[in-house]
């Protein structure tokens, strides 16, 4: 990948190989899979290796070897490569956004935002190269110095999702790299090109060979061997709770640090004193932005009964006007779902909600017709009359489907918002400062927004959730550094005599 010529060839032929030890590697399996445009499935974006355990092993061997030199590169120097990566990504933003819309579907404005999130992460983590703070603290003994320092973990295995194809790999790779780790990343099978683009940029910015390796493929054949590999020292996974549970259990059996970021069923509370127009705008963006395919998507809207009717009418009216189509076309606001399986999930939940007695107010079906014939398009869908216990109010759909519920009091709203197994993002629209602060305190979630929808996290703050959304780790912010480093406590005794802690207390 280091040579630009090589890259061009890769792009033109659209046949990608694995990237291992600074070289393109044909998979041992000799198998490939296709990456197709979800807005037009006749458009083949590229073919990628369907790797197996041997490919994973090659990548881990390369990463393990590279770790011995990369860990010794001073952190500010490692950071300079990230800084340069940020600059190059900014230059390539338009091309990479275009590639991403083509493979993932979300509209160009949003894929630009996705690349921007990687740029932000690059600059933020580059800054960390001159911090990575530990602590110094007085020793209890004389002439003894005590400090704690951050050490890299080693080889980090990463399994990325398809909904933020560049941002989320950057949340994993950049902090890991600045801390001195080496990486093997398995991109999502729906959106591998954006990971290749990201790693290409790191390489062009001067990343030494073997420091980041890509093994493309499917979960059972490429993901599982990565999690199980004895020389992989930590695992970072973003995806479904179902797969996350398997990843976590496997990692636990090997006593491996493992960061899991999984589902959400994120509630927006709209109080009776809210700016309703603002809340409707927020709901549209939170529920149907990224076609509802965000872990932070607004999938439940809790309405105070005094404003429910008015809000609902306005939301339905605005939803029906949304332009759904190919994200590369100017004016389109909602792209396709990423693949056939996701659209089937949306259909399944529409059937479930109807059977549970919810009222379908908008959408509820696939979009056909000329503009939508070749892609996975689903109409933005609203259910009203939803009760807190219904499956449509409890389970993650990961599509453009939102459930409206009603409440009588602030206390009841908090109870409904918290009455789920997930705890990623939450939001409240109100002009009452006391309620806003109580919501910040009482909503059980890793993220709470006031007068904004449940989406829109910034990279320098911790990202992640409580309950079944995660297992306690955070991406973004300094939380990421905590995952990608391990603490070492160092004691330096300059007294020239044996001093015994807890014993030679000087009494
Ligand atoms: C996700 O929801 O899967 O906070 C990631 C946001 C984005 C990242 C979302 N910055 O909406």
């Amino acid at each position: 990948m280091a040579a630009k010529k090589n890259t061009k060839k890769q792009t033109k032929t659209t046949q990608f190989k694995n990237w291992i030890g600074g070289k393109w590697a044909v998979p041992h399996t000799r198998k490939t899979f296709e990456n197709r445009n979800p807005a037009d499935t006749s458009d083949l974006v590229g073919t990628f290796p369907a790797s197996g355990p041997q490919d994973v092993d090659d990548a881990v061997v390369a990463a393990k070897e590279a770790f011995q030199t990369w860990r010794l590169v001073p952190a500010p120097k490692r950071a300079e490569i990230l800084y340069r990566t940020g600059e190059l990504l900014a230059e390539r933003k338009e091309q990479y956004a275009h590639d991403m819309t083509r493979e993932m579907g979300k509209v160009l404005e949003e894929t630009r935002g996705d690349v921007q999130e990687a740029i932000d992460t690059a600059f933020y983590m580059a800054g960390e190269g001159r911090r990575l703070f530990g602590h110094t603290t007085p020793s209890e003994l004389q002439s003894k110095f005590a400090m704690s320092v951050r050490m890299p973990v080693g080889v980090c295995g990463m399994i990325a999702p398809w909904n933020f194809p560049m941002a989320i790999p950057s949340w994993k790779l950049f902090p890991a790299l600045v801390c001195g780790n080496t990486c093997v990343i398995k991109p999502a099978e729906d959106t591998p090109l954006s990971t290749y683009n990201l790693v290409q940029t790191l390489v062009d910015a001067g990343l030494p060979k073997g420091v980041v390796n890509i093994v493309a493929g499917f979960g059972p054949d490429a993901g599982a061997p990565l999690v199980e590999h004895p020389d992989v020292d930590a695992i970072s996974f973003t995806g479904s709770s179902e797969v996350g549970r398997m990843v976590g259990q496997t990692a636990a059996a090997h006593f491996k640090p493992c960061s899991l970021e999984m589902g959400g069923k994120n509630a927006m509370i709209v109080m009776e004193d809210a700016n309703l127009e603002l809340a409707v705008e927020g709901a549209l963006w939170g529920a149907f932005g990224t076609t509802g395919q965000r872990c932070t998507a607004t999938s439940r809207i809790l309405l105070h009964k005094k404003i429910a009717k008015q809000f609902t009418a306005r939301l339905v009216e605005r939803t029906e006007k949304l332009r759904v189509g190919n994200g590369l076309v100017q004016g389109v606001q909602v792209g396709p779902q990423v693949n056939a399986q996701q659209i089937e999930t949306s259909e399944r939940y529409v059937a479930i909600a109807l059977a549970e007695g919810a009222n379908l107010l908008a959408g509820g079906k696939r979009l056909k017709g000329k503009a939508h014939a070749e892609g996975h398009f689903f109409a933005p869908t609203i259910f009203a009359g939803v009760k807190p216990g219904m499956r449509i109010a409890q389970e993650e759909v990961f599509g453009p489907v939102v459930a409206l519920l009603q409440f009588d009091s602030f206390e009841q709203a908090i109870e409904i918002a918290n009455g789920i197994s997930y705890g990623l993002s939450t939001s409240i629209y109100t002009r009452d400062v006391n309620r806003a602060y109580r919501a910040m305190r009482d909503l059980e979630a890793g993220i709470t927004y006031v007068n904004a929808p449940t989406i829109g996290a910034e990279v320098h703050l911790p990202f992640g959730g409580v309950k079944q959304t995660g297992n306690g780790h955070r991406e973004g912010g300094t939380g990421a550094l905590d995952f990608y480093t391990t603490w070492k406590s160092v004691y330096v005794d300059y007294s020239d005599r044996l001093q015994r802690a807890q014993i030679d207390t000087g009494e």
Side-chain angles (χ1 to χ4, degrees):
M1 218 187 264
K4 276 223 165 103
K5 237 167 45 198
N6 196 2
T7 320
K8 273 195 189 129
K9 193 167 149 232
Q10 284 284 329
T11 313
K12 263 185 198 152
T13 57
T14 70
Q15 283 181 355
F16 291 81
K17 297 172 189 162
N18 287 321
W19 178 249
I20 296 177
K23 291 197 190 92
W24 294 109
V26 175
H28 291 280
T29 58
R30 306 275 152 186
K31 286 194 212 146
T32 58
F33 65 91
E34 291 182 342
N35 175 12
R36 288 187 178 271
N37 181 342
D40 174 4
T41 52
S42 67
D43 175 22
L44 181 64
V45 178
T47 61
F48 290 82
S51 310
Q54 257 185 295
D55 304 303
V56 171
D57 190 55
D58 289 352
V60 174
V61 167
K64 194 176 175 187
E65 196 192 320
F67 178 63
Q68 287 316 327
T69 43
W70 182 244
R71 71 187 180 91
L72 301 178
V73 174
K77 293 279 163 218
R78 298 195 294 250
E80 280 170 23
I81 296 175
L82 290 184
Y83 193 88
R84 181 78 192 121
T85 301
E87 289 180 322
L88 289 176
L89 285 172
E91 282 170 26
R92 301 172 184 181
K93 184 170 170 179
E94 207 49 35
Q95 178 58 45
Y96 287 172
H98 194 277
D99 284 349
M100 197 189 296
T101 295
R102 202 174 150 216
E103 69 172 349
M104 189 273 170
K106 61 186 173 184
V107 299
L108 210 41
E109 200 180 23
E110 288 192 40
T111 51
R112 287 188 192 118
D114 194 311
V115 180
Q116 185 59 46
E117 201 158 334
I119 296 168
D120 297 343
T121 307
F123 291 146
Y124 172 59
M125 284 300 164
E128 280 304 325
R130 286 186 185 269
R131 282 187 291 265
L132 287 180
F133 295 136
H135 303 279
T136 61
T137 182
S139 164
E140 64 193 44
L141 296 162
Q142 249 185 33
S143 303
K144 196 165 181 182
F145 188 88
M147 62 185 160
S148 59
V149 291
R150 291 182 182 274
M151 306 294 286
V153 179
V155 176
C156 299
M158 297 160 176
I159 300 177
W162 47 260
N163 65 337
F164 276 79
M166 189 173 280
I168 293 183
S170 82
W171 294 358
K172 298 185 188 303
L173 289 169
F174 295 173
L177 292 173
V178 80
C179 293
N181 302 286
T182 56
C183 310
V184 177
I185 185 164
K186 188 194 91 58
E189 53 268 30
D190 285 298
T191 56
L193 178 57
S194 296
T195 298
Y196 279 73
N197 284 341
L198 185 68
V199 174
Q200 174 71 63
T201 310
L202 279 163
V203 170
D204 293 344
L207 194 77
K209 64 180 186 179
V211 174
V212 172
N213 306 275
I214 310 175
V215 179
F218 296 89
D221 309 318
L226 186 60
V227 180
E228 283 161 12
H229 201 294
D231 287 332
V232 171
D233 302 293
I235 289 289
S236 176
F237 168 85
T238 303
S240 70
S241 299
E242 191 191 347
V243 177
R245 178 167 281 116
M246 292 194 288
V247 170
Q249 285 171 345
T250 308
H254 294 82
F255 303 120
K256 229 176 248 195
C258 173
S259 164
L260 303 173
E261 206 278 290
M262 301 169 293
K265 190 74 192 175
N266 313 292
M268 169 195 285
I269 298 172
V270 186
M271 296 305 302
E272 74 276 30
D273 67 338
N275 175 342
L276 278 198
E277 208 43 49
L278 183 71
V280 169
E281 281 288 335
L284 279 172
W285 173 231
F288 304 127
T290 326
T291 321
Q293 301 172 126
R294 292 197 193 208
C295 357
T296 49
T298 306
S299 49
R300 294 182 296 156
I301 303 177
L302 279 44
L303 301 167
H304 191 282
K305 68 170 192 276
K306 279 192 193 149
I307 50 84
K309 212 169 149 195
Q310 200 186 342
F311 179 96
T312 305
R314 192 79 186 105
L315 183 68
V316 170
E317 185 193 326
R318 294 284 306 272
T319 299
E320 278 168 350
K321 288 198 188 121
L322 288 172
R323 275 192 67 192
V324 182
N326 186 327
L328 292 173
V329 174
Q330 182 116 33
V332 165
Q333 293 160 293
V334 180
Q337 292 211 250
V338 77
N339 58 32
Q341 215 182 322
Q342 288 305 128
I343 214 160
E344 278 159 22
T345 305
S346 296
E347 282 183 321
R348 197 169 66 246
Y349 274 99
V350 166
I352 290 169
L354 287 172
E356 287 176 314
N359 308 327
L360 181 63
L361 299 186
K365 55 181 186 319
R366 278 170 200 257
L367 290 169
K368 301 210 168 104
K370 213 165 159 211
H372 301 118
E374 303 299 328
H376 306 297
F377 296 100
F378 201 81
T381 298
I382 302 174
F383 279 104
V386 175
K387 301 281 173 270
M390 290 182 181
R391 288 181 64 190
I392 195 65
Q394 292 284 329
E395 299 173 19
E396 186 176 47
V397 180
F398 225 70
V401 179
V402 69
L404 309 187
L405 295 88
Q406 289 193 28
F407 63 85
D408 296 307
S409 65
F410 174 80
E411 290 69 25
Q412 197 193 1
I414 298 286
E415 195 185 316
I416 297 172
N418 289 342
I420 50 160
S421 57
Y422 295 114
L424 182 53
S425 187
T426 44
S427 121
I428 182 163
Y429 279 76
T430 182
R431 285 187 265 212
D432 178 334
V433 71
N434 293 355
R435 277 176 180 162
Y437 272 87
R438 282 172 64 196
M440 287 184 243
R441 185 191 62 194
D442 295 340
L443 285 169
E444 295 167 359
I447 307 171
T448 295
Y449 292 89
V450 177
N451 293 326
T454 58
I455 65 176
E458 301 175 28
V459 304
H460 53 300
L461 279 80
F463 183 94
V466 298
K467 302 201 268 189
Q468 289 190 22
T469 289
N471 61 346
H473 297 287
R474 290 292 182 269
E475 300 197 284
T478 50
L481 305 178
D482 292 335
F483 183 71
Y484 290 109
T485 54
T486 174
W487 286 111
K488 178 176 278 189
S489 300
V490 181
Y491 302 92
V492 182
D493 192 322
Y494 55 98
S495 69
D496 228 12
R497 60 197 159 88
L498 174 67
Q499 299 195 88
R500 297 171 302 170
Q502 294 90 37
I503 295 170
D504 298 327
T505 54
E507 279 162 17

